[in-house]
Amino acid sequence: MLHVDVGSRTLAGNERWFLAHTLPKSEWKAELHLGAQGFRTYQPQIRKTIRHARQLKTVRGPLFPRYLFVILDLERDRWLSVRSTVGVASLFSSRDGRPVPVPVGIVESLIARSEDSLTRLDSGLVKGQQVRILTGPFVDFVGTLDRLNEAGRVRVLLEMMGTAVPLTLHRSALAPAA
């Protein structure tokens, strides 16, 4: 699996970030084939829990399933070849077919929130905020953040059967609820 270091994700000249829509479960394949063509990519990842055959397993997965960020200079790069790359379905484009750049700062802020190639969504959490649990047996549950400590442990209150049930976990397992 090809992973580009953060230093090579800096933009130069007319380069901008663009969004590639991938085929189902083909984010890694698209990233590999785009990298083989010399394109620099970024795929934000999170740790998430999946359920299969009554078992829970924590794995790395894409933050945005079926999407991948690609650095392109539309004047210099052969961007039409991105659309025909193995694993890529299309580039996010305007009606005239020209790719639309991602607004400046969005990808950069995701990269800045990354730690060990995982994107952390837990910055800026405050007591009383609604949060979604990303990993463990309570994955996808939404609760109220009750307590944060310096060691990174949090207590979340989940509403179950008419009562608030406290759950203690690490803050990296949380994201603000949408």
Side-chain angles (χ1 to χ4, degrees):
M1 185 172 0
L2 177 70
H3 286 288
V4 184
D5 65 282
V6 176
S8 66
R9 291 192 188 119
T10 55
L11 303 178
N14 292 326
E15 292 179 337
R16 294 286 305 271
W17 285 104
F18 291 86
L19 191 60
H21 188 230
T22 67
L23 297 172
K25 300 190 186 302
S26 295
E27 299 89 358
W28 308 109
K29 187 187 298 185
E31 186 174 31
L32 179 70
H33 287 277
L34 286 167
Q37 294 176 60
F39 292 108
R40 293 173 291 155
T41 62
Y42 176 60
Q43 180 187 164
Q45 299 174 47
I46 58 170
R47 188 169 279 127
K48 65 181 187 172
T49 299
I50 57 172
R51 292 184 180 125
H52 180 69
R54 290 208 251 173
Q55 291 183 341
L56 296 175
K57 186 176 179 182
T58 300
V59 297
R60 285 179 183 238
L63 175 61
F64 306 113
R66 295 196 63 192
Y67 289 96
L68 182 67
F69 296 104
V70 183
I71 294 175
L72 295 172
D73 179 342
L74 297 182
E75 305 304 317
R76 178 194 69 204
D77 296 329
R78 296 183 49 174
W79 57 268
L80 286 171
S81 66
V82 172
R83 296 188 307 189
S84 60
T85 300
V86 174
V88 176
S90 63
L91 271 172
F92 186 75
S93 305
S94 61
R95 287 182 189 218
D96 66 357
R98 199 151 168 84
V100 175
V102 175
V104 174
I106 291 180
V107 179
E108 292 81 358
S109 70
L110 288 170
I111 291 171
R113 289 176 169 215
S114 295
E115 185 177 294
D116 296 329
S117 77
L118 288 173
T119 302
R120 299 279 305 261
L121 302 174
D122 60 345
S123 62
L125 294 177
V126 292
K127 185 178 175 179
Q129 181 178 10
Q130 291 290 106
V131 292
R132 178 175 306 282
I133 299 173
L134 301 174
T135 63
F138 296 100
V139 67
D140 288 332
F141 276 62
V142 175
T144 304
L145 185 59
D146 183 49
R147 186 184 312 150
L148 294 120
N149 71 16
E150 296 78 33
R153 302 298 289 175
V154 295
R155 185 166 81 180
V156 176
L157 299 176
L158 297 178
E159 188 68 34
M160 294 179 155
M161 300 186 335
T163 186
V165 178
L167 175 67
T168 303
L169 45 117
H170 193 269
R171 70 181 293 145
S172 64
L174 299 178

